[in-house]
Amino acid sequence: AQSVTQPDARVTVSEGASLQLRCKYSYSGTPYLFWYVQYPRQGLQLLLKYYSGDPVVQGVNGFEAEFIKSNSSFHLRKASVHWSDSAVYFCAVSANSNNRIFFGDGTQLVVKP
Amino acid sequence: EAAVTQSPRNKVAVTGGKVTLSCNQTNNHNNMYWYRQDTGHGLRLIHYSYGAGSTEKGDIPDGYKASRPSQENFSLILELATPSQTSVYFCASGDSGDTLYFGAGTRLSVL
């Protein structure tokens, strides 16, 4: 079965700094990978997804993620964060052969002014 | 734009009472899901459905039932609510392995 590990429960960065949120997955086949964002008192929204092809995928608001198969990782990056990026970020993995999506526990991002 | 609507948005229930959380999607997705979100646990899957008339147990189904009477509607039922079921509940819809679209959540307090 698939699983996702987000090792950092909380990350604090200064506005304008670069960001990396870590995600490692466990799945023996070719995964579908996702990053979702959750703003306060809202549901999750898709940031970006990877199915195949170019391992670097671009998402909304300047976010990108890189699929590194050898490391089973799908880290999220942003070159320069804004205070409005403060939210909880979830990494998720799915197999193309079933209907389940498995979520990590999320990383709380705090952007300091 | 895909749309998932949950009702009610907030609910206060008494211990032992029956609670029904409703979810409606206009995306024509086959799959629908119910999650609960608690601090320190992320999202945990309670029940899901592949289509009208089907329900499947997720990872934490005990104390919950689900009903999918139509493609658009998926309900979560707490027959005998307990304080441990106080949480935020999210409904989502999607196609196999693809993006999930989430509702805004229902905040349930069981007193």
Side-chain angles (χ1 to χ4, degrees):
Chain A
Q2 304 94 308
S3 68
V4 176
T5 300
Q6 295 181 248
D8 303 309
R10 184 180 172 100
V11 170
T12 301
V13 297
S14 297
E15 192 168 24
S18 63
L19 169 72
Q20 177 172 279
L21 301 182
R22 296 184 290 165
C23 171
K24 296 203 74 170
Y25 67 90
S26 173
Y27 179 57
S28 57
T30 301
Y32 290 177
L33 295 161
F34 307 82
W35 275 98
Y36 287 83
V37 61
Q38 184 182 31
Y39 298 104
R41 295 192 173 261
Q42 295 185 27
L44 280 68
Q45 305 169 39
L46 183 72
L47 264 184
L48 50 80
K49 61 185 177 184
Y50 170 81
Y51 288 166
S52 64
D54 188 339
V56 178
V57 291
Q58 306 295 323
V60 297
N61 296 333
F63 285 94
E64 68 174 28
E66 183 173 7
F67 168 55
I68 302 179
K69 187 173 184 178
S70 61
N71 196 35
S72 299
S73 68
F74 191 57
H75 301 333
L76 182 70
R77 304 189 295 238
K78 187 170 183 179
S80 176
V81 296
H82 187 264
W83 65 267
S84 60
D85 293 325
S86 294
V88 181
Y89 292 79
F90 291 91
C91 183
V93 65
S94 167
N96 59 2
S97 60
N98 65 35
N99 301 303
R100 289 287 306 269
I101 293 181
F102 293 83
F103 288 88
D105 287 340
T107 297
Q108 171 87 51
L109 173 65
V110 176
V111 180
K112 298 187 302 182
Chain B
E1 177 74 18
V4 178
T5 305
Q6 293 183 231
S7 62
R9 291 295 313 277
N10 295 280
K11 173 74 177 177
V12 178
V14 295
T15 298
K18 181 176 180 178
V19 177
T20 300
L21 306 184
S22 299
C23 179
N24 175 274
Q25 56 112 349
T26 60
N27 312 318
N28 198 33
H29 288 146
N30 289 324
N31 304 334
M32 295 186 75
Y33 306 81
W34 276 106
Y35 293 90
R36 63 177 284 177
Q37 185 177 34
D38 304 285
T39 304
H41 289 283
L43 287 169
R44 292 186 287 175
L45 182 64
I46 306 169
H47 284 288
Y48 59 106
S49 168
Y50 296 134
S54 93
T55 61
E56 305 289 335
K57 293 181 179 180
D59 300 322
I60 53 163
D62 293 346
Y64 302 93
K65 290 184 179 179
S67 174
R68 182 87 182 269
S70 65
Q71 180 82 340
E72 297 80 19
N73 295 296
F74 190 39
S75 297
L76 185 69
I77 303 148
L78 291 65
E79 295 277 4
L80 294 169
T82 70
S84 65
Q85 293 175 313
T86 293
S87 186
V88 181
Y89 292 85
F90 288 98
C91 176
S93 73
D95 288 325
S96 298
D98 205 340
T99 304
L100 290 185
Y101 294 87
F102 284 81
T106 294
R107 191 169 294 268
L108 174 66
S109 295
V110 182
L111 306 177

